[in-house]
């Protein structure tokens, strides 16, 4: 396409105005995509009293780190962070192992019963359980208020497996054959040949799984009531939708917090529920936004392999 | 050494040849996937039948011991006026959402494609993906913040910049704003992300077609209509099937988070209603019946759409 553009010598006035118009739209869209995040960042660094005094647009007016001091002392957020981090590691690892193993086995077209197995995996894509029947099963399996509910149900993904299988099938067959001649079994071939060669696909899906685990709050909402097993998104949900932000401010459970509150009162930097909400939003949202550009290369590729297959 | 094509590989794999020994271990490889699928996909599928029971949660596995009531639960909601309101609202929300948000990524991708300067294009693309990486909880938080009467309510701030006398409005407290909020939040969050597939399809269109068209004197607009759009039809069909199949399943996460106590009764959709009736109020069987009803209709929709698009354009997902 770029060759076409450079070949063109003259652009009509209409085309030029379209180009300018187009560029403006794109700039506007990008700003709209980013500004909300900039805004919560700005607010999280501003004192609550000042934020309540009037509109703030681009920079903190009265800079403070007090909001973060308060938020970081909130012990529920600590445990939520640990739970979320754990599921973001265990979930993807488990998922990649389960899907890769199945993909490898199903890439062997001579495997008896392969078609039936594929059919078995495919049916749930069309017929499934409802929110209630899922809940019943989880509770009968004793998965309510159990960490495993975060990582087990999503471990196998049909589409993921199909894409991995396609990738395995496209590897040169000689690799596996020569390994066989040298006496390697399926397990050894899987671990030493297939796994390393599938790394790009694995990286893409692992990243998707990390994102999915980080953002999910539904599982927590439905199956987990134990507060020590709350995830970050769920804590954020409670802080935004309930009076949680207030309790955070008056929490006096820890002596350090009480002292800090006195100090904040003296300096007139007491956080308000509003800025607390925004600070927590920053803490919960930004980690993913920071890693995302580094993975962009992978997930676009991953999406595309998926799309070609679909 | 000659490079093997994937076709040759597939043929080889079918044959198996040397490798076709001791394949038992391959079944072992499949065990985790089979077990997980059975437990987390098939068991819930089977236990849908609590919709036909008067389910007692404390009795045994899958309702053994609960009373069988046949279609009573279905009859209960099918004779309830409230239910038709709920279906009507769910349909209204999802049809509006689909009509409004389906073309957005397509248009965005086309505009992006016409953009001059690869660097700029890349930056726009990267930033437009960002909202996809936040949860609906955060999106709801942002919307509440921007639409409130408080000083953080940017929309009200902007209005007052132009007209200082303007009254500040609490947008989210009014049920009639709910649908626009759904549409805008969905567009904001997913439009950029949705362009990935279209952009990929765009790169697969043969550049020679454009060159030939240009030689023949086709304008930029004509090239769009006669080359680019037809090239995107298969992608559009697949995405259409997916979105139609979800017609009754409005995004639970989205509706649940954007609602608030004041407007909940007027903005419930089937999905959210099932949650409140079943898990909050404990009417398991009734809720399961509502969910199953929705599931069956969705299934019919996906099959019908798939059939139609397959007929029309030879594209289908099954």
């Amino acid at each position: 396409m770029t060759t076409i553009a450079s070949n063109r010598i003259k652009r009509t006035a209409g085309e030029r105005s379209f180009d300018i118009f187009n560029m403006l739209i794109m700039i506007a869209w990008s700003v709209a995509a980013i500004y909300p995040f900039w805004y919560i960042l700005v607010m999280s660094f501003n004192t609550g009293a000042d934020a309540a005094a009037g509109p703030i647009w681009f920079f903190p007016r009265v800079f403070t780190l007090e909001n973060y001091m308060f938020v970081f002392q909130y012990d529920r957020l600590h445990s939520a962070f640990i739970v979320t981090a754990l599921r973001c590691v265990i979930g993807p690892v488990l998922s990649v192992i389960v899907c890769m193993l199945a993909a490898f086995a199903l890439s062997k077209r001579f495997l008896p019963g392969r078609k039936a197995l594929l059919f078995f995996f495919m049916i749930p894509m069309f017929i499934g359980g409802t929110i209630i029947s899922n809940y019943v099963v989880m509770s009968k399996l004793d998965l309510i208020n159990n960490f495993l509910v975060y990582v087990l149900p999503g471990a196998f993904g049909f589409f993921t497996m199909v894409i991995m299988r396609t990738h395995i099938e496209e590897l040169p067959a000689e690799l596996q054959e020569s390994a066989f001649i040298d006496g390697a079994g399926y397990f050894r071939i899987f671990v030493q040949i297939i796994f390393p060669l599938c790394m790009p696909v694995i990286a893409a899906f692992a990243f998707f799984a990390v994102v999915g685990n980080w953002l999910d709050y539904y599982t927590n909402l439905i199956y987990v009531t134990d507060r020590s097993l709350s995830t970050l998104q769920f804590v954020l949900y409670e802080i935004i939708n309930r009076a949680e932000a207030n309790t955070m401010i008056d929490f006096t459970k820890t002596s350090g917090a009480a002292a800090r509150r006195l100090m904040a009162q003296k300096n007139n930097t007491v956080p308000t529920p509003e800025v607390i909400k925004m600070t927590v939003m920053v803490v919960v949202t930004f980690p993913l936004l920071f890693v995302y550009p580094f993975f962009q290369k992978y997930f676009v590729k991953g999406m595309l392999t998926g799309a070609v297959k679909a | 050494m000659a490079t093997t094509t994937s076709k040759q590989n597939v043929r080889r794999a079918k044959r198996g040849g040397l490798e076709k020994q001791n394949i038992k271990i391959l079944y072992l490889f499949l065990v985790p996937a089979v077990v997980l699928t059975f437990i987390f996909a098939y068991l819930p599928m089977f236990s849908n039948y609590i919709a036909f029971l008067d389910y007692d949660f404390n009795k045994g596995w899958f309702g053994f011991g609960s009373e069988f009531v046949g279609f009573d639960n279905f009859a209960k909601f099918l004779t309830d006026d409230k239910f038709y309101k709920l279906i009507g609202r769910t349909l209204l929300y999802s049809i509006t959402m689909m009509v409004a948000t389906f073309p957005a990524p397509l248009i965005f991708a086309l505009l992006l494609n016409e953009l001059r300067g690869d660097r700029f294009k890349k930056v726009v693309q990267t930033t437009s993906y960002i909202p996809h990486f936040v949860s609906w909880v955060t999106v709801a938080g942002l919307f509440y913040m921007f639409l409130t009467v408080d000083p953080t309510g940017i929309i009200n701030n902007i209005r007052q910049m132009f007209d200082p006398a303007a009254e500040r409005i609490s947008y989210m407290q009014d049920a009639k704003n709910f649908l626009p909020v759904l549409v805008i939040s969905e567009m904001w969050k997913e439009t950029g992300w949705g362009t990935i597939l279209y952009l990929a399809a765009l790169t697969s269109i043969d550049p020679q077609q454009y060159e030939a068209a240009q030689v023949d004197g086709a304008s930029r607009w004509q090239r769009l209509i006669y080359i680019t759009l037809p090239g995107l039809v298969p992608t559009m069909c697949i995405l259409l099937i997916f979105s139609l199949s979800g017609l009754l399943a409005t995004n639970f996460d989205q509706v649940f988070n954007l609602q608030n106590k004041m407007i909940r009764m007027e903005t419930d959709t089937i999905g959210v209603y099932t949650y409140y009736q079943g898990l909050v109020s404990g009417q398991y069987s009734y809720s399961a019946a509502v969910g199953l009803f929705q599931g069956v209709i969705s299934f019919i929709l996906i099959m019908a759409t798939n059939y139609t698009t397959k007929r029309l354009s030879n594209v289908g997902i099954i």
Side-chain angles (χ1 to χ4, degrees):
Chain A
M1 285 291 285
T2 41
T3 52
I4 303 170
S6 57
N7 280 346
R8 200 190 347 261
I9 303 154
K10 269 189 295 185
R11 284 193 284 149
T12 63
E15 281 190 28
R16 233 172 310 152
S17 54
F18 167 77
D19 285 333
I20 291 169
F21 174 71
N22 189 10
M23 216 157 91
L24 289 177
I25 292 184
M26 290 300 158
I27 291 173
W29 193 282
S30 303
V31 171
I34 287 190
Y35 181 71
F37 301 110
W38 177 250
Y39 185 77
I40 51 172
L41 195 65
V42 166
M43 292 298 257
S44 72
F45 285 117
N46 204 44
T47 63
D50 179 66
I56 289 177
W57 298 99
F58 297 106
F59 297 101
R61 215 164 25 209
V62 183
F63 184 86
T64 178
L65 289 173
E66 206 60 49
N67 306 327
Y68 283 93
M69 298 299 193
F70 264 90
V71 167
F72 286 145
Q73 279 186 10
Y74 190 49
D75 35 4
R76 255 197 99 197
L77 212 60
H78 298 180
S79 74
F81 184 81
I82 293 168
V83 170
T84 309
L86 272 178
R87 66 177 285 194
C88 280
V89 173
I90 298 172
V93 168
L94 197 70
S95 172
V96 162
I97 292 174
V98 171
C99 294
M100 276 296 287
L101 280 171
F104 177 66
L106 291 174
S107 75
K108 305 289 173 205
R109 303 226 167 186
F110 53 78
L111 191 75
R114 184 177 150 277
K115 277 253 164 71
L117 280 161
L118 273 173
F119 197 64
F120 173 81
F121 289 132
M122 209 168 67
I123 288 177
M125 286 186 49
F126 305 103
I127 315 164
T130 59
I131 188 172
I132 306 298
S133 61
N134 272 304
Y135 184 82
V136 169
V137 170
M138 298 296 184
S139 72
K140 297 293 176 199
L141 290 170
D142 223 359
L143 284 173
I144 305 293
N145 285 330
N146 186 334
F147 177 80
L148 291 176
V149 80
Y150 289 134
V151 293
L152 279 183
F156 179 74
F158 178 70
F159 261 121
T160 315
M161 187 277 288
V162 168
I163 291 159
M164 286 174 171
R165 194 195 63 180
T166 314
H167 193 80
I168 293 172
E169 279 173 353
E170 278 167 5
L171 297 172
E174 290 88 351
L175 281 172
Q176 293 188 47
E177 282 173 8
S178 59
F180 258 99
I181 295 171
D182 293 342
Y186 283 113
F187 188 70
R188 208 184 157 103
I189 288 176
F190 177 72
V191 173
Q192 294 192 334
I193 298 175
I194 303 296
F195 219 82
L197 286 175
C198 284
M199 266 317 169
V201 187
I202 290 173
F205 281 108
F207 178 67
F208 280 136
V210 170
V211 172
N213 273 289
W214 185 274
L215 296 183
D216 171 59
Y217 95 111
Y218 180 84
T219 315
N220 194 163
L221 175 78
I222 308 283
Y223 305 118
V224 178
T225 48
D226 182 348
R227 284 166 73 101
S228 67
L229 276 177
S230 290
T231 58
L232 280 177
Q233 298 295 340
F234 191 73
V235 172
L236 175 65
Y237 166 77
E238 293 201 320
I239 287 172
I240 290 178
N241 290 286
R242 301 187 186 171
E244 205 82 2
N246 295 315
T247 47
M248 262 175 91
I249 295 166
D250 2 277
F251 73 122
T252 40
K253 277 178 224 143
T254 50
S255 54
R260 178 155 289 288
R261 208 173 91 216
L262 272 173
M263 192 100 123
Q265 267 165 359
K266 215 176 84 197
N267 300 337
N268 201 20
T269 51
V270 190
T272 57
E274 276 307 308
V275 287
I276 287 287
K277 281 178 190 175
M278 284 177 229
T279 311
V280 179
M281 255 198 265
V282 169
V283 172
V284 169
T285 305
F286 276 56
L288 202 59
L289 294 190
F290 278 125
V291 296
Y292 138 82
F294 299 103
F295 283 91
Q296 199 185 2
K297 197 168 72 189
Y298 295 108
F299 70 66
V300 171
K301 219 193 276 167
M303 274 287 276
L304 295 188
T305 19
V308 171
K309 196 59 210 163
Chain B
M1 197 178 79
T3 46
T4 35
T5 65
S6 60
K7 242 185 203 159
Q8 279 172 310
N9 281 327
V10 170
R11 226 177 295 138
R12 239 180 236 253
K14 268 184 186 153
R15 247 188 303 121
L18 269 175
E19 302 179 36
K20 213 171 168 176
Q21 34 191 295
N22 195 21
I23 57 173
K24 271 180 214 142
I25 191 174
L26 288 178
Y27 290 111
L28 219 60
F29 282 16
L30 282 159
V31 168
V34 170
V35 170
L36 286 171
T37 307
F38 181 76
I39 292 178
F40 295 112
Y42 280 85
L43 288 185
M45 201 190 298
F46 298 142
S47 49
N48 271 333
Y49 94 106
I50 68 166
F52 303 97
L53 303 174
D54 181 12
Y55 186 61
D56 182 344
F57 209 89
N58 299 315
K59 288 194 177 147
W61 260 89
F62 300 110
F64 294 129
S66 296
E67 194 195 343
F68 182 80
V69 296
F71 285 93
D72 281 9
N73 292 310
F74 293 87
K76 192 174 152 199
F77 69 70
L78 285 173
T79 52
D80 189 346
D81 288 347
K82 193 178 164 196
F83 191 70
Y84 293 98
K85 248 189 192 160
L86 217 55
I87 291 186
R89 189 184 302 130
T90 309
L91 278 175
L92 171 74
Y93 283 180
S94 27
I95 291 173
T96 315
M97 286 281 276
M98 211 179 70
V99 173
T101 61
F102 183 78
L106 174 67
I107 295 168
F108 194 71
L110 291 174
L111 290 177
L112 207 58
N113 193 46
E114 295 291 327
L115 216 55
R116 279 149 208 291
D118 284 347
R119 194 76 170 275
F120 183 51
K121 203 189 269 183
K122 188 103 209 192
V123 171
V124 173
Q125 224 176 317
T126 308
T127 49
S128 72
Y129 294 164
I130 287 179
H132 174 77
F133 290 93
V134 302
S135 65
W136 277 111
V137 182
T138 304
V139 176
L142 292 173
F143 268 72
Y144 270 99
M145 198 170 73
F146 281 175
L147 293 172
T148 160
V149 285
D150 297 341
T152 57
I154 292 217
I155 302 299
N156 279 316
N157 294 349
I158 292 172
R159 278 181 55 235
Q160 285 192 330
M161 253 166 55
F162 292 104
D163 174 15
E167 202 184 323
R168 294 180 79 86
I169 302 167
S170 181
Y171 293 95
M172 300 294 275
Q173 312 285 12
D174 192 342
K176 76 173 194 295
N177 292 326
F178 195 65
L179 188 51
V181 165
L182 286 184
V183 170
I184 294 168
S185 57
E186 175 76 21
M187 275 192 184
W188 180 75
K189 193 171 184 299
E190 305 297 347
T191 299
W193 186 250
T195 59
I196 293 186
L197 293 182
Y198 287 119
L199 289 173
L202 280 170
T203 56
S204 67
I205 297 174
D206 186 0
Q208 287 188 1
Q209 282 194 47
Y210 288 104
E211 282 163 36
Q214 201 159 22
V215 172
D216 290 344
S219 71
R220 211 156 149 189
W221 179 250
Q222 284 170 322
R223 282 180 307 217
L224 172 74
I225 298 293
Y226 296 109
I227 303 172
T228 312
L229 278 180
L232 294 178
V233 166
T235 311
M236 282 162 68
C237 284
I238 286 172
L239 293 174
L240 195 67
I241 297 172
F242 278 119
S243 60
L244 272 179
S245 63
L247 199 58
L248 272 185
T250 41
N251 191 340
F252 177 91
D253 249 11
Q254 187 188 12
V255 176
F256 183 79
N257 277 294
L258 287 166
Q259 277 182 334
N260 56 56
K261 279 194 202 97
M262 291 184 80
I263 59 170
R264 185 164 95 60
M265 288 304 169
E266 295 149 86
T267 55
D268 262 358
T269 58
I270 297 181
V272 182
Y273 178 76
T274 327
Y275 165 77
Y276 281 111
Q277 287 300 308
L279 299 187
V280 180
S281 311
Q283 300 188 46
Y284 296 103
S285 286
Y286 175 70
S287 242
V290 177
L292 191 57
F293 181 80
Q294 179 190 323
V296 169
I297 293 188
S298 295
F299 181 72
I300 294 170
L301 274 173
I302 195 171
M303 287 304 167
T305 328
N306 192 59
Y307 177 81
T308 318
T309 50
K310 223 171 192 169
R311 268 294 175 81
L312 292 177
S313 68
N314 258 330
V315 186
I317 54 165
I318 312 165

